[in-house]
């Protein structure tokens, strides 16, 4: 059985860390893959990969996920 969790955030400050934290909390639903897409109003940034959240999205990826709107 495949299960997933989805979270979206719109804020006044960067949302990537909050999305990362939320995905980590939802991780018990499945460990197949993880991803975050953010938008700064002009550009979208995406990081996705197979594995646990901490394996798929590293610090170097978080630095590129800029924006006040995102989904994970």
């Amino acid at each position: 059985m495949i299960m997933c969790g989805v979270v979206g955030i719109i804020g006044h400050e960067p949302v990537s860390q909050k999305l990362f934290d939320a995905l980590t909390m939802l991780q018990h639903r499945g460990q197949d893959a993880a991803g975050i897409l953010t938008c700064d109003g002009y550009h979208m940034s995406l990081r996705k990969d197979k594995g646990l959240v901490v394996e798929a999205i590293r610090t170097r990826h978080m630095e590129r996920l800029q924006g006040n709107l995102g989904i994970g």
Side-chain angles (χ1 to χ4, degrees):
M1 174 183 278
I2 297 174
M3 298 178 73
C4 68
V6 178
V7 61
I9 301 174
I10 299 172
H12 295 288
E13 55 191 42
V15 297
S16 60
Q17 186 62 51
K18 290 179 182 178
L19 288 167
F20 181 90
D21 295 342
L23 289 177
T24 301
M25 297 301 291
L26 289 171
Q27 187 165 266
H28 70 280
R29 297 176 135 286
Q31 301 176 356
D32 296 335
I36 293 177
L37 180 129
T38 59
C39 181
D40 66 4
Y42 300 99
H43 302 96
M44 288 192 279
S45 301
L46 171 66
R47 172 62 186 168
K48 63 180 181 173
D49 205 350
K50 295 180 182 176
L52 300 172
V53 175
V54 296
E55 297 168 346
I57 306 166
R58 307 277 185 172
T59 302
R60 67 180 182 270
H61 305 126
M62 292 290 287
E63 293 170 354
R64 296 185 208 130
L65 294 168
Q66 301 297 314
N68 298 347
L69 179 142
I71 188 167

